Amino acid sequence: MMEPEHGPVIQEEVEHSHVRCWVCVLSCLLLACLYVGSLYIWRSSLPRDHPSVIKRRSASVLLVSALSPAVVKAWMHWADIRVNAFVLELMGVRLEGLVPAAILPLILTLAFYLGPLVHSAMDNPKGFSGELQSLLDVQSWRWCVRDAVWLRNQLVAPVTEELVFRGAMLPMLVPCTGPTAAIFIAPLFFGVAHFHHIIEQRRLHKDSMSIILMVSGTQFLYTTLFGAFTAFIFMRTGHVVGPVVCHAFCNSQGLPDLTSALQHPQKSAILLSYLLGLLLFLVLLFPLTDPFLYGPIPVCSLSVPAASAC
């Protein structure tokens, strides 16, 4: 009796896997192009921080974000993905584990920013109490919610970028790359998407091309690293709310200013707080993102077999 030939079957499975991966990558590329392209459908000579420009661009990216579940759904059809979860659940929009998912990643981010927070408190004449008073000042919050730049940086950008670049892209990458690789691949789309700022810098003739490229390269580096961090949070918690909250906080703080810290009269205390914050971040990274705290993670059902990141 002749044994059945498995070669054609295996070859067909490999080809199907390759096609699925191409569909995953192209779907992510489509979403990134839709997000960035939507910013430029409005023709204007005004700078990006002008209120009218912010309102139009916010409307555009909110629309793309609202359509992103449809893109994921279409991808599931094209890639022949069948899982026992709703699209929004795969994108991290779910109720189970919502409270810890909103709080614990923020605590982790606060630990990382311990140095800058201590630095800011030392520069405040009223110290830590002054920082707390500023945080709880109702009038200040009223001014913030009326400011278009603040709303863009603290609300629109975190929600739309995390929903598109983490919530939508990670589920599409996981079946092809696995969870761990997806954490490092998805942020590349996010980092490259920020190169569009070169267009406006050239249009406004603010700096030379070499300076613009240097600034854009630096921005690509830190946005990619940040994207990997929020992708890690998303994969570990199965929620998009954690990345959104961390994104909003980091936008409010900016990059840690080590140069200023080194020139500060109390630089020893500040640098010590930087070091302590980094150590706390590393120690708490896995305990505060333990999947046990957040319930079953839908996006992990896309990975076969389940990988360590899940």
Side-chain angles (χ1 to χ4, degrees), residues 3-18:
E3 294 183 2
E5 295 184 4
H6 299 289
V9 176
I10 294 174
Q11 184 178 0
E12 184 178 345
E13 289 178 353
V14 171
E15 290 177 355
H16 179 71
S17 177
H18 288 166

Side-chain angles (χ1 to χ4, degrees), residues 178-213:
T180 302
I183 288 172
F184 297 100
I185 294 173
L188 295 176
F189 292 98
F190 184 58
V192 170
H194 283 77
F195 276 124
H196 78 89
H197 291 302
I198 295 175
I199 298 172
E200 182 165 7
Q201 294 297 319
R202 288 295 295 164
R203 179 171 60 83
L204 298 177
H205 304 288
K206 286 186 174 182
D207 294 300
S208 65
M209 191 61 188
S210 59
I211 293 177
I212 291 174
L213 289 175

Side-chain angles (χ1 to χ4, degrees), residues 104-127:
L104 298 183
L106 178 59
I107 293 174
L108 186 62
T109 309
L110 286 168
F112 182 79
Y113 270 87
L114 181 62
L117 292 172
V118 170
H119 188 171
S120 178
M122 285 185 172
D123 287 343
N124 191 318
K126 296 183 180 179

Side-chain angles (χ1 to χ4, degrees), residues 137-287:
D137 184 22
V138 176
Q139 189 60 36
S140 176
W141 281 104
R142 286 176 179 172
W143 179 85
C144 286
V145 296
R146 294 172 184 169
D147 180 57
V149 174
W150 188 92
L151 288 173
R152 178 195 64 193
N153 294 343
Q154 308 307 130
L155 185 61
V156 177
V159 170
T160 60
E161 289 179 1
E162 294 305 323
L163 194 61
V164 169
F165 290 94
R166 252 66 72 185
M169 289 190 184
L170 283 167
M172 292 193 291
L173 286 172
V174 165
C176 177
T177 66
T180 302
I183 288 172
F184 297 100
I185 294 173
L188 295 176
F189 292 98
F190 184 58
V192 170
H194 283 77
F195 276 124
H196 78 89
H197 291 302
I198 295 175
I199 298 172
E200 182 165 7
Q201 294 297 319
R202 288 295 295 164
R203 179 171 60 83
L204 298 177
H205 304 288
K206 286 186 174 182
D207 294 300
S208 65
M209 191 61 188
S210 59
I211 293 177
I212 291 174
L213 289 175
M214 183 177 67
V215 171
S216 296
T218 303
Q219 189 177 38
F220 167 77
L221 179 62
Y222 71 73
T223 52
T224 301
L225 289 173
F226 173 77
F229 170 59
T230 54
F232 174 83
I233 292 174
F234 180 89
M235 292 303 306
R236 294 276 292 178
T237 67
H239 279 275
V240 76
V241 66
V244 169
V245 173
C246 293
H247 195 148
F249 175 78
C250 290
N251 278 0
S252 71
Q253 297 298 309
L255 288 175
D257 190 358
L258 277 172
T259 302
S260 178
L262 290 170
Q263 298 173 351
H264 199 277
Q266 302 183 57
K267 67 177 181 180
S268 297
I270 293 175
L271 292 177
L272 181 62
S273 64
Y274 267 88
L275 179 59
L276 180 59
L278 180 59
L279 291 174
L280 279 173
F281 175 81
L282 294 175
V283 168
L284 297 174
L285 181 60
F286 284 92

